[in-house]
Amino acid sequence: MAADPSKLQTQIDIKPPPLPFHAESAPETLQEPKLSFFASRYRRTRRRRADTWLISLFVILHIVAFTATMVVNDCWHKSGGDCAFKAFGRLSFQPLSENPLLGPSASKLDEMGALRRTFLTENRQTWRLFTFPCLHAGAIHLVINLCSVVFVGTHLEQEFGPLMAGLIYILSAFVGTLVAALFVEKHPAVGASGALYGLLGATLAALIQNWEMYTNKFTALVSVLFVSIGNFLLGLLPYVDNFSSIGGFISGFLLGSVLLSSPKVREPAQEKGGLLDYDLKSSIKLRVRLKLDRPVYRSVAFVLFGVMLAGCLVAVLQGIDLNQYCGWCQYVDCIPFKGWSCRDMETFCETMVSNEQLTLTCMSNGNFRVLPYTNVSQDRVNDLCSVICS
């Protein structure tokens, strides 16, 4: 019985070989797939611990610095037991009327390296430019700031590598410190949020430069905006400096425009037959072309960052106070409230000891406070005087 010709044709039909790969078709062949912005391509495979080691190190260092600050603060002994969360003992916080962020006193922030105008202009303590970005005003500031750093920083480190994320973190923190030093007043200020805003600025720059790569662009923008606004509002409370956040964001955006050209790509896996998914040389050429893309844009961003860094550094060393030229700038960093004032003023208190009690009276507004003890340091008297006079 003769075989059916159509069935025979189906049995001997051979699939044609794949077309050879040409370098000229690299842009179309190697086009990046659409990705979710905060879903790293590293997360498609098993995540390695080494992917986020640098951000984790920064977080640990900040926690150590805050713990050391609270140990030095020692509210339980140095404030006569007038503390919040007394169960923490030596690590208990100052009263909320003194520090609403659950943190140390103003004098202990000064001791650990906070910024004041007088420290830079009169005492020339430039070393505080390096301690300022390492300090947090309180436990609330610490938790919110570090959670934001983990949320934003791990993404940048996974996508662009620890070197790029580390450079942006450190340089943004330093430039943010310089900007803060131009506006800092006579009360202590800390600026750990400058580095966070540098990461936020770099994230925005990376999103803009790789706009076509991502699927949830507007969700990413809302996330960056939400983190930025939340931490900025936190900066309106005492001791947290918002000018460092502004400087960090601008410098982070410029650095991100220079350094973050495209996300880091893993090498392609080799097939059983020894053939690569695409030609390796063409892949390298394509990535080099992507890194050299938009040279004018990246060059302008690099020049602007250099001008910002050099200009702020010279201005700080010259002792320039930009508050003299901007009367409303103080409200960027503070909002008047019942418990504190945004006015930069000297405080003077009269002390009187009687019957094992210490009475402090503010000379500017007449407010007073009676303490049930007399063994108190001068730094503690100054802290209480600032609270009474505000």
Side-chain angles (χ1 to χ4, degrees), residues 274-285:
L275 297 177
L276 298 178
D277 291 336
Y278 53 82
D279 186 76
L280 184 59
K281 291 184 179 180
S282 299
S283 169
I284 295 175
K285 289 180 181 180

Side-chain angles (χ1 to χ4, degrees), residues 33-86:
K34 295 289 186 178
L35 299 173
S36 175
F37 184 74
F38 285 110
S40 169
R41 68 192 66 206
Y42 282 98
R43 296 173 194 170
R44 296 183 175 189
T45 60
R46 187 175 180 178
R47 178 187 288 184
R48 300 176 301 173
R49 290 185 178 181
D51 288 345
T52 58
W53 66 268
L54 186 62
I55 294 300
S56 301
L57 177 62
F58 287 142
V59 169
I60 293 173
L61 291 177
H62 278 296
I63 294 175
V64 171
F66 181 74
T67 303
T69 303
M70 297 308 301
V71 170
V72 172
N73 184 68
D74 192 9
C75 178
W76 182 257
H77 294 97
K78 297 180 180 179
S79 298
D82 184 18
C83 310
F85 293 90
K86 298 180 181 181

Side-chain angles (χ1 to χ4, degrees), residues 124 126 129 312-320:
R124 310 301 296 178
T126 54
L129 297 175
C312 290
L313 183 60
V314 171
V316 170
L317 295 178
Q318 293 295 322
I320 295 177

